[in-house]
Amino acid sequence: MEHPPDVLSFFSSVTLCGLANSSSSSESYSEPLTLVRNQSFPAKRYIWCRDECTTETDSEWDSLPFSIGKAHADFELLEWLGEGRISITYAARLICLRQSPGGETLPLSSLLCILPDEFCVKLAKVEFIRSLAREAWFYEQIAKTEGCQGIITPLCFGFFTTSLPSTLQIRAWSEIKCVPHKDDDELVYDRFYDDKAYSRAFADDQQTCRDKCPWTLDRWIARTDRSPIVGILITERLGEHFPSGSGINKLSKESEAEILDILDDLSSAGVLHGDVKFNNFLCPASSSSPPSCSFSSSSFGAICPRHSRIHAWRVIDFDRAVKWGKSIPRDVEYFTDVQRVDFECGFFWGGDWRS
C-alpha cells in the first residue's frame, strides 16, 4: 500500500456528517459540522540525566505548521467503536474530497490506492480537548522519525477543531459512561505533569514552540470564549486489539520479541508511551483476526526499516506519553529500558507506569 508523502498535512479542513444535531426543543436533526486544522500541544522535554544539556533545536520540538490550501474532506460517521478516558471513537468513511468546504469536488480515483478504506475519528470529551491536542503532537513527532508512521502507529491525518454553535449539540457528550472528575475550580480536568512551572522530571529548555500555544494551562484558563470546543483526531481505522487472555507467561517468544521491537521503534522517536497495555496494540485493518501467536501472520503494511519486516501490530493512544531528548545518550539508554520494562513487568496487561 502506497501512502501519501505527508498524510498529516493532507487535509486542511473536514466536515463530519452524523456527529452534531440541532438543539431544537421540538425535533433533532443531524447537521454537518465543519472543523479546521488546529495547532497541537508540544510537551516539555522529559529528563533523567540532568547533567547533560540537549542540543536539539526549536524546530525539532515544534508543532507541524497548519496545512493551508490543501483538500477538504467530507466524512460520514459509521459505528461507535469505544470510549476511553479522554475520548469517544467512531469508524468513518470518506464521502468526497473538495477544494474547500462546500466547494467543487475533486476526483477520488487517483487516491484510492493511498487512502485507507475506513478511518477512525477520535472525538475528545469536552473536558479533555487539551489531552487530544497533546496526543496529536505525539503523532506529529513520531512521523518525523523515518519508519514509524503507518509502520508501528496508524496513519494520522491531523487534529481539527471548531467552536460548537449554540444551535447544535453533540449527543455523544451526554451519553458518556466515564464521567470526568474536575481537578479544581478552574474547569481544568486534564492537567499534565509538565503544566507546572518547575518539575524535576521535565526540563524547560526555553523553547518557543509553546509561547503562543492556545493549550498551555495559563492560556486555557484565561480564555474568554468558554463555548465548548469540538476536537477530533483522524487516523486510519485498525483491527482487533492484542488478545487479553494470553498472559505474559503464555506468550510465545516471537510475540514477546514483536512487542519489544515495536517499543524499541517507538524509543527511536524519543517517545515513552506511558500506557503500554494490550488494548493499545491493534492489528492492521486488513487482518481478519489478531495475530495472537506470531508476528509472521501479518501480511499488510510497510516494512520496518529497523527490523526489515512488516510489524503485526500498531500502537495507539499517546495522551499520556512523554518525549525525551534524543541527543542525550544516557536518557536514550535509560528510557528505552524503561519502555521495555513496562511490558516485561506485566504492565502490558492493564498497568500504568505512573501508578
Side-chain angles (χ1 to χ4, degrees):
M1 179 181 180
E2 182 186 358
H3 297 151
D6 184 11
V7 297
L8 272 164
S9 300
F10 204 57
F11 305 130
S12 292
S13 55
V14 299
T15 295
L16 292 182
C17 299
L19 179 64
N21 294 81
S22 64
S23 56
S24 168
S25 58
S26 57
E27 294 185 57
S28 180
Y29 301 96
S30 178
E31 297 281 354
L33 185 67
T34 297
L35 305 93
V36 298
R37 185 68 180 264
N38 204 340
Q39 182 181 352
S40 62
F41 184 15
K44 291 181 181 178
R45 180 169 59 90
Y46 199 54
I47 54 174
W48 177 70
C49 178
R50 302 189 64 88
D51 299 331
E52 296 182 38
C53 296
T54 181
T55 58
E56 293 170 4
T57 65
D58 243 8
S59 61
E60 293 174 278
W61 224 258
D62 278 349
S63 300
L64 287 182
F66 292 171
S67 50
I68 299 174
K70 300 293 182 68
H72 172 87
D74 286 353
F75 286 98
E76 177 188 16
L77 291 191
L78 303 175
E79 71 267 30
W80 175 90
L81 296 178
E83 178 186 342
R85 182 181 69 91
I86 71 164
S87 62
I88 307 118
T89 55
Y90 297 88
R93 72 176 182 91
L94 178 65
I95 301 173
C96 66
L97 291 180
R98 300 180 185 274
Q99 290 183 340
S100 59
E104 183 180 346
T105 59
L106 301 172
L108 281 174
S109 56
S110 61
L111 298 172
L112 293 179
C113 62
I114 59 176
L115 292 175
D117 294 331
E118 285 191 6
F119 295 78
C120 177
V121 172
K122 188 169 186 176
L123 167 68
K125 296 177 181 178
V126 67
E127 303 88 357
F128 288 99
I129 185 70
R130 296 177 75 230
S131 288
L132 198 65
R134 173 61 56 84
E135 181 170 12
W137 182 77
F138 276 103
Y139 273 109
E140 293 174 357
Q141 293 300 302
I142 290 166
K144 291 179 181 180
T145 299
E146 182 182 0
C148 286
Q149 180 169 226
I151 296 176
I152 64 165
T153 65
L155 295 172
C156 181
F157 292 85
F159 174 57
F160 305 85
T161 68
T162 188
S163 293
L164 184 66
S166 59
T167 56
L168 298 181
Q169 62 183 0
I170 305 297
R171 182 175 297 173
W173 283 347
S174 62
E175 297 175 348
I176 61 174
K177 297 178 180 179
C178 303
V179 179
H181 171 71
K182 186 169 68 173
D183 287 339
D184 54 32
D185 294 331
E186 298 290 353
L187 301 180
V188 178
Y189 291 77
D190 56 344
R191 286 187 180 273
F192 292 95
Y193 288 90
D194 63 340
D195 278 335
K196 300 177 182 178
Y198 173 79
S199 170
R200 288 192 58 83
F202 293 91
D204 188 354
D205 294 328
Q206 306 301 315
Q207 297 193 18
T208 60
C209 59
R210 294 166 62 97
D211 286 354
K212 297 182 180 180
C213 180
W215 311 113
T216 55
L217 185 60
D218 56 345
R219 290 184 180 85
W220 183 246
I221 293 174
R223 72 193 190 283
T224 56
D225 182 5
R226 293 284 178 171
S227 59
I229 298 177
V230 184
I232 63 169
L233 188 68
I234 299 179
T235 67
E236 63 174 317
R237 183 180 179 180
L238 299 178
E240 297 296 320
H241 64 64
F242 200 95
S244 60
S246 300
I248 189 70
N249 296 324
K250 297 181 181 179
L251 284 181
S252 69
K253 291 188 179 297
E254 286 183 328
S255 293
E256 288 187 44
E258 170 70 345
I259 296 298
L260 289 172
D261 284 346
I262 291 172
L263 293 176
D264 286 345
D265 287 342
L266 190 58
S267 294
S268 72
V271 173
L272 183 66
H273 186 279
D275 196 17
V276 173
K277 57 185 179 183
F278 71 94
N279 55 355
N280 283 336
F281 283 77
L282 278 62
C283 62
S286 63
S287 300
S288 58
S289 60
S292 58
C293 297
S294 171
F295 58 77
S296 61
S297 60
S298 175
S299 59
F300 175 79
I303 295 175
C304 172
R306 286 169 290 276
H307 296 105
S308 302
R309 68 171 186 273
I310 298 171
H311 286 300
W313 304 98
R314 307 290 183 267
V315 59
I316 62 169
D317 285 1
F318 293 94
D319 56 281
R320 296 185 180 184
V322 290
K323 189 172 188 293
W324 68 82
K326 293 192 291 183
S327 61
I328 301 180
R330 290 169 64 188
D331 275 0
V332 171
E333 180 180 2
Y334 177 76
F335 289 123
T336 299
D337 288 343
V338 167
Q339 188 130 255
R340 282 176 151 256
V341 167
D342 283 357
F343 171 68
E344 294 174 328
C345 289
F347 291 109
F348 188 75
W349 306 110
D352 181 343
W353 62 272
R354 290 189 179 94
S355 61

